[in-house]
Each structure stands twice: as structure tokens, then as C-alpha cells.
């Protein structure tokens, strides 16, 4: 089936979105992870990848940045394909918390069960469910999944990983809290180690757009044509992204953009138009919710011009 979006339209759209985004001010780099605080705050990249394999980009779209919390989507995909969507929902949950992404209170109020795989508690629990006999086996499986979605071999940044492993005290508390409630399904420090590593791989806005287009394309990477996710699981993952992908701003994003999305404190932002395309933005300064300020501007601009809002019909 031919795409309703011409090459000329998408080329112009990504260019305009980048121009609008790079002129946006405000926000600040994440400061609680030293590596992220040091990234050039003026960087800004935008990319669109279509389900039929076309790629459009502007700005710093090839700059490698830390994937951070966007990695939760792909570990979720790993586990969902391994144990099934219903088993995962039973163990981890599928509801927004209405609280910050690293909330301990949310875990306590739910009697120790994480409510969503896209907040830290749920992501740590999800990492504990990755199949493998050792931490390295589990990590290799996660990295293989991320790479398959990107269509190229991704790699861990030792610098990012060290910066995170030495400052993740709050997440250590969450991991032990889950373990005490019986909702961390491996050694809690092993699960946290794996989770921290998954957040420390380096991607570009182009990688992120292709990863998103793979979800838009029912789990088939449009660049490699590899089926990297069971097609039945794409809808579950997109639903999770719509509900909790931008944390406490997820409702606002659904209201204004109307697409499943996922942010990361490394400055990345992904939005997916199912069956059509994915939009990726990158700019390090974040708003108070932990979402890229300029990334949101870029994604909104693309979604508006292409009329991608799922609720518009």
C-alpha cells in the first residue's frame, strides 16, 4: 500500500520541525547523572522513519546520546515476547501511576507491585524477568533486542554506565522494596545492574526513528525487514507508551499530540503513528517532568502538519 506522505512533504516537514525546535528556549540538562549534565545543551536533531522504509532527518540527527528510559520500551518487548503479554501484565501491571517516574510512594500504595513497566519500579521488575542464567546473558539479550530494533549493532557507553551505576542509590532502594514485596523476580541488585546497563547504550535520533518505525510496522524493522517483535505485542506496547510514556505529562502529550510516545532523560523523545511512521527528537534540556523541551516541539510540529493525532479520526 502506498504512503499518503510524499517524499517532498516529509523532507519539508522534518526541516520545519527542526527549525522550530532549535529556536525553542527553556529547560535544563539532567543534573543528577554527571554524564548527562555535561552534554552540549544546544544539540538538536529530528528524524522521521516511515513504515515503508524511508528516512528523513535534520540537525544533529546522527549525534549519539544515551537512550536512558526509552530503553524500557525495548526491554518490555524482550520480556513480552518471552513470557507473554498477560503474564507480564500480571507481574508488572499496565496502569499509569500519576506520580514521578522514580516514585517510591507509588510502589507502596500498590502494596509493592509496580503499576507500569515504563516507570523505574516496573522497569526494574521487567529487567528481572529477562530470560538468562546470568546477568551477562540477560544483558546480551536486551542489547540484541535494542540492536535489532535499530537495524545496527548498538553498544554500551562505559562512561554513561559508570556515571549511572555510581549514582543510582534511589533505584537501589526501589529494587530492594520490590524484592521485599516479592515483585522482583531475580536478585534485586542484578536486576538493577541490568536495568542500568540498558539505559546506558548510545543511539542517534535516526536510530530512534527506525526503532519506532519497527513498532509502527507491526514489529518488522522497515530497514532490515526482520521481524523483531511478535506482531500481536505491538498494540500492548503502544498502549503502555500512550499511558505512561512521558510520565506525569503523558496525559498532556496524548491531549496535544495524540500519539504513543516515550521520553528519556538523555534528551530523546519518540512518538509513533501506528502503521505509518515514527518521529524522533533529540535535545538535552528537559522540562520539570523529565521530557525534552525541544523534542516535544519537534514531535508536535510533525504530528500537527501530517495530521497524525489518533483521536482526530
Amino acid at each position: 500500500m502506498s504512503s499518503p506522505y510524499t517524499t517532498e512533504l516529509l523532507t519539508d516537514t522534518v526541516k520545519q520541525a527542526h527549525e522550530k525546535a532549535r529556536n525553542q528556549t527553556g529547560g535544563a540538562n539532567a543534573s543528577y547523572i554527571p554524564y548527562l549534565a555535561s552534554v552540549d545543551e544546544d544539540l538538536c536533531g529530528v528524524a522521521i522513519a516511515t513504515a515503508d522504509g524511508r528516512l528523513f532527518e535534520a540537525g544533529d540527527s546522527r549525534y549519539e546520546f544515551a537512550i536512558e528510559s526509552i530503553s524500557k520500551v525495548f526491554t518490555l518487548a524482550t520480556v513480552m515476547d518471552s513470557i507473554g503479554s498477560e503474564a507480564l501484565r500480571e507481574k508488572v501491571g499496565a496502569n499509569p501511576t500519576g506520580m514521578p517516574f522514580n516514585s517510591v510512594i507509588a510502589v507502596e500504595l500498590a502494596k509493592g507491585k509496580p503499576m507500569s513497566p515504563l516507570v523505574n519500579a516496573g522497569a526494574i521488575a521487567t529487567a528481572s524477568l529477562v530470560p538468562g542464567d546470568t546477568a551477562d546473558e540477560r544483558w546480551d539479550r536486551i542489547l540484541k533486542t535494542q540492536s535489532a530494533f535499530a537495524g545496527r549493532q548498538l553498544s554500551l557507553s562505559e562512561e554513561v554506565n559508570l556515571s549511572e551505576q555510581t549514582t543510582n542509590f534511589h533505584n537501589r532502594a526501589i529494587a530492594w522494596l520490590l524484592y521485599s514485596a516479592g515483585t522482583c523476580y531475580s536478585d534485586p541488585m542484578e536486576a538493577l545492574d541490568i536495568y542500568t546497563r540498558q539505559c546506558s547504550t548510545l543511539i542517534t535520533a535516526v536510530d530512534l526513528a527506525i526503532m519506532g518505525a519497527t513498532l509502527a510496522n507491526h514489529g518488522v524493522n522497515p530497514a532490515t525487514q526482520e521481524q523483531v517483535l511478535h506482531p500481536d505485542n505491538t498494540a500492548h506496547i503502544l498502549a503502555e507508551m500512550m499511558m505512561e510514556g512521558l510520565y506525569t505529562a503523558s496525559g498532556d502529550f496524548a491531549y496535544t499530540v495524540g500519539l504513543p510516545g516515550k521520553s528519556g532523560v538523555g534528551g530523546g523523545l519518540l512518538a509513533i503513528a501506528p502503521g505509518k511512521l515514527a518521529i524522533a527528537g533529540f535535545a538535552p534540556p528537559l522540562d520539570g517532568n523529565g521530557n525534552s523541551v525541544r523534542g516535544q516541539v519537534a514531535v508536535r510540529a510533525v504530528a500537527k502538519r501530517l495530521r497524525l493525532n489518533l483521536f482526530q479520526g
Side-chain angles (χ1 to χ4, degrees):
M1 183 173 62
S2 62
S3 170
Y5 308 112
T6 66
T7 294
E8 292 74 19
L9 173 62
L10 293 175
T11 299
D12 189 58
T13 297
V14 78
K15 180 181 178 181
Q16 285 190 18
H18 174 256
E19 284 295 316
K20 188 172 184 178
R22 73 183 183 91
N23 292 319
Q24 177 70 39
T25 60
N29 288 29
S31 60
Y32 57 92
I33 299 172
Y35 176 90
L36 300 183
S38 70
V39 178
D40 183 354
E41 64 180 17
D42 292 326
L43 291 166
C44 182
V46 186
I48 299 172
T50 65
D52 60 7
R54 292 176 294 159
L55 180 66
F56 306 86
E57 57 185 296
D60 301 303
S61 56
R62 302 274 173 163
Y63 180 90
E64 290 193 323
F65 60 93
I67 190 172
E68 295 297 341
S69 285
I70 304 172
S71 67
K72 295 169 181 173
V73 171
F74 306 104
T75 302
L76 172 61
T78 302
V79 174
M80 197 173 281
D81 265 9
S82 299
I83 70 172
S85 59
E86 287 308 308
L88 181 64
R89 184 170 65 155
E90 181 180 343
K91 291 178 179 294
V92 179
N95 287 303
T97 67
M99 296 183 185
F101 61 85
N102 61 351
S103 174
V104 173
I105 295 173
V107 181
E108 283 285 271
L109 290 176
K111 297 181 170 43
K113 179 182 176 179
M115 295 175 64
S116 167
L118 298 187
V119 297
N120 289 12
I124 294 168
T126 302
S128 76
L129 290 165
V130 175
D133 295 328
T134 67
D136 285 342
E137 283 186 21
R138 293 178 174 186
W139 161 240
D140 287 344
R141 187 180 287 260
I142 290 172
L143 185 59
K144 182 179 179 180
T145 299
Q146 289 186 6
S147 299
F149 270 92
R152 73 177 182 96
Q153 182 60 51
L154 301 180
S155 61
L156 177 79
S157 167
E158 296 293 349
E159 185 178 3
V160 176
N161 188 47
L162 179 63
S163 188
E164 297 213 22
Q165 296 278 10
T166 55
T167 57
N168 63 359
F169 306 110
H170 191 91
N171 282 340
R172 293 180 205 179
I174 291 174
W176 280 114
L177 182 61
L178 294 172
Y179 188 71
S180 71
T183 53
C184 187
Y185 304 99
S186 71
D187 177 88
M189 292 301 97
E190 178 183 294
L192 179 61
D193 171 58
I194 295 166
Y195 167 70
T196 305
R197 281 195 250 180
Q198 78 178 42
C199 293
S200 302
T201 51
L202 296 178
I203 60 169
T204 67
V206 166
D207 292 329
L208 188 56
I210 294 171
M211 295 167 95
T214 302
L215 287 169
N217 196 34
H218 310 292
V220 176
N221 185 309
T224 66
Q225 293 302 306
E226 179 186 359
Q227 183 83 51
V228 301
L229 174 70
H230 193 287
D232 289 347
N233 287 331
T234 58
H236 299 306
I237 291 171
L238 294 176
E240 295 280 10
M241 294 172 69
M242 182 68 85
M243 292 186 291
E244 190 70 90
L246 275 78
Y247 306 123
T248 48
S250 298
D252 285 333
F253 192 76
Y255 192 94
T256 59
V257 178
L259 295 175
K262 187 69 193 84
S263 65
V265 295
L269 180 63
L270 173 65
I272 297 165
K276 297 177 181 178
L277 54 81
I279 314 159
F282 161 66
L286 312 176
D287 63 18
N289 297 306
N291 303 317
S292 172
V293 171
R294 296 199 295 274
Q296 291 177 80
V297 171
V299 167
R300 286 194 185 103
V302 173
K304 182 177 181 179
R305 185 168 190 202
L306 301 182
R307 295 187 58 82
L308 297 173
N309 190 317
L310 295 177
F311 306 116
Q312 287 182 328

